[in-house]
Amino acid sequence: MSPYWSFLRRVGRDNRGNVALFFGLMLTPLLFAVGGGIDYARGTQARVMLQSIVDSAAISGAAAYTAPSAQANATALAQAFVTKGTASLPSNITVKSTVITPGTIGSGNNVAYTMSVSISASMPTTLMGLFMRTMNVTVFAAAKNPVVTMTFDTTGFTSSACDANSLYWYVVPANGGVPNANTLNNVVWTNTSSSNPNTVSITVAASQQIGFAFKNVTGGRPSSLGGCNYGNNTYGSRNGDTQWFYSSLIPPNSQANTAPGGASTGTHGVYPTTQDCSMQVLQGTLRYGSWTYPSAPQQCFTATGSGDWGAKKTSVSWSQALLNAAPNCAALGGNSFQYAFNDMGGTSDDYDYNDLVFNLQCSGGSGAGTGTTTTGVILTD
């Protein structure tokens, strides 16, 4: 056999270096697989960050979208969440577009305000750059705020006060202060009339915070309905003086001499600002299909629950006594609450909290789909 053919047979039988050759052949796809995995993980991380931004923006926007007139402010709030969130993204993520869309679904009382938010972004790839220079990520979220029914129930309540007492409701102002006069809604109940309805219902967005304004006029109730002129009360208010108690303030009697809108009522009385002596909120218990409520303690309440005065002293603070004093239906969670007012009238304050009493409960909220008053604003997508 010639040396030439012997050499070829030796080369054919020699398998040294096969592993290296195989590794060399597999190295390129292996690097692409690893690089693709890294790019995929980075893309997933970017998607999670972007999804958190649109979720927060949609929820905050829907929560602020409480009426058609609030659409612009709600949209601006959602945009603010997007702007703040995208500003903190890693520098390798480039936001290409954002879309914020307010809307409504349903009709009549079966309606919900909605807020949709989407973000499209891109990020550069690593080894996948040979095939795709950038990776695009698009996320979307939608939330809704259902319209619900809030019902005031004064069934069985009879006033025995000499003072004139009336109840109004209002949308709590953004600054948390005294409501404007034009935001005060019709009288819910008054002891200056003999023909009050047992229940009054209003429709509000589930997240809308509602306050209650209690108007008290010293000795102002007509004598034909049980009123009387007893002169000055224990705080110095004279016959005919007007006081206001606002449930969204802590304590509600802290601005007793301020009318809605901020004007002075001209009252002569000096009311405490470090004690809540005007209002309590009592959570009901559902028993055999009916709601029952605990008795309101005859006392004033302080911030700490100490130093209170009244007939029945406890360690309850005013934050506990006034829990849900200015509620939204979502916060009530389907429960019923009783609101008990003490008009702080008479030649001595009896702290009896029976000068105006009503029960409050929310219902409905299907919002043309899912969602109840116990969930309030919810993500739908």
Side-chain angles (χ1 to χ4, degrees):
M1 183 179 294
S2 68
Y4 176 75
W5 291 109
S6 297
F7 172 74
L8 289 178
R9 284 197 294 269
R10 287 196 304 272
V11 170
R13 291 194 298 266
D14 191 351
N15 58 11
R16 290 174 298 176
N18 281 4
V19 173
L21 179 63
F22 179 78
F23 181 75
L25 294 172
M26 293 300 298
L27 181 60
T28 298
L30 181 63
L31 289 175
F32 280 119
V34 172
I38 293 174
D39 286 333
Y40 179 79
R42 292 170 64 236
T44 300
Q45 183 181 24
R47 181 177 294 277
V48 170
M49 289 187 289
L50 291 168
Q51 190 66 53
S52 177
I53 293 171
V54 295
D55 287 351
S56 297
I59 290 174
S60 62
Y65 195 1
T66 55
S69 60
Q71 184 186 97
N73 288 338
T75 305
L77 181 61
Q79 180 62 65
F81 269 78
V82 170
T83 301
K84 181 178 180 180
T86 55
S88 62
L89 290 171
S91 58
N92 65 334
I93 299 177
T94 301
V95 175
K96 299 169 65 177
S97 66
T98 63
V99 178
I100 299 174
T101 307
T104 59
I105 54 176
S107 60
N109 292 337
N110 188 32
V111 71
Y113 302 110
T114 63
M115 189 67 65
S116 301
V117 182
S118 67
I119 297 177
S120 294
S122 64
M123 57 184 300
T125 58
T126 54
L127 290 178
M128 287 180 65
L130 293 174
F131 304 101
M132 182 173 59
R133 292 184 177 276
T134 60
M135 179 182 296
N136 296 322
V137 179
T138 299
V139 294
F140 174 82
K144 71 174 184 177
N145 193 1
V147 170
V148 300
T149 299
M150 177 181 284
T151 300
F152 302 81
D153 187 353
T154 57
T155 303
F157 171 69
T158 302
S159 174
S160 60
C162 280
D163 291 357
N165 295 321
S166 303
L167 178 71
Y168 303 76
W169 69 272
Y170 58 91
V171 173
V172 176
N175 63 7
V178 172
N180 291 326
N182 60 0
T183 65
L184 214 63
N185 290 276
N186 293 334
V187 176
V188 175
W189 191 94
T190 178
N191 66 358
T192 62
S193 172
S194 58
S195 58
N196 285 293
N198 288 332
T199 60
V200 173
S201 295
I202 61 174
T203 54
V204 294
S207 68
Q208 180 66 72
Q209 190 179 10
I210 299 298
F212 312 112
F214 178 60
K215 180 183 180 182
N216 167 253
V217 181
T218 304
R221 188 181 185 188
S223 57
S224 60
L225 296 176
C228 61
N229 181 357
Y230 56 86
N232 294 1
N233 71 17
T234 188
Y235 298 98
S237 290
R238 302 175 185 177
N239 187 65
D241 280 354
T242 298
Q243 293 72 232
W244 287 89
F245 307 131
Y246 304 100
S247 72
S248 58
L249 302 184
I250 301 294
N253 47 259
S254 61
Q255 296 288 333
N257 300 340
T258 304
S264 171
T265 61
T267 187
H268 304 86
V270 179
Y271 287 77
T273 58
T274 59
Q275 300 266 349
D276 163 33
C277 304
S278 57
M279 178 182 173
Q280 294 182 47
V281 184
L282 309 164
Q283 183 169 348
T285 300
L286 187 61
R287 295 176 179 174
Y288 308 111
S290 299
W291 290 96
T292 60
Y293 309 90
S295 299
Q298 291 179 253
Q299 68 172 101
C300 297
F301 303 90
T302 64
T304 62
S306 61
D308 305 333
W309 71 70
K312 299 178 181 178
K313 294 184 179 181
T314 70
S315 59
V316 175
S317 65
W318 64 27
S319 62
Q320 294 169 296
L322 296 172
L323 184 64
N324 288 315
N328 61 56
C329 283
L332 297 183
N335 294 302
S336 180
F337 290 79
Q338 187 172 90
Y339 293 74
F341 286 89
N342 169 40
D343 64 14
M344 303 175 71
T347 53
S348 62
D349 193 342
D350 53 16
Y351 314 115
D352 57 3
Y353 296 91
N354 63 0
D355 295 309
L356 199 155
V357 179
F358 67 92
N359 304 329
L360 184 74
Q361 190 173 12
C362 297
S363 59
S366 61
T370 60
T372 67
T373 54
T374 59
T375 56
V377 177
I378 59 171
L379 282 171
T380 57
D381 290 295

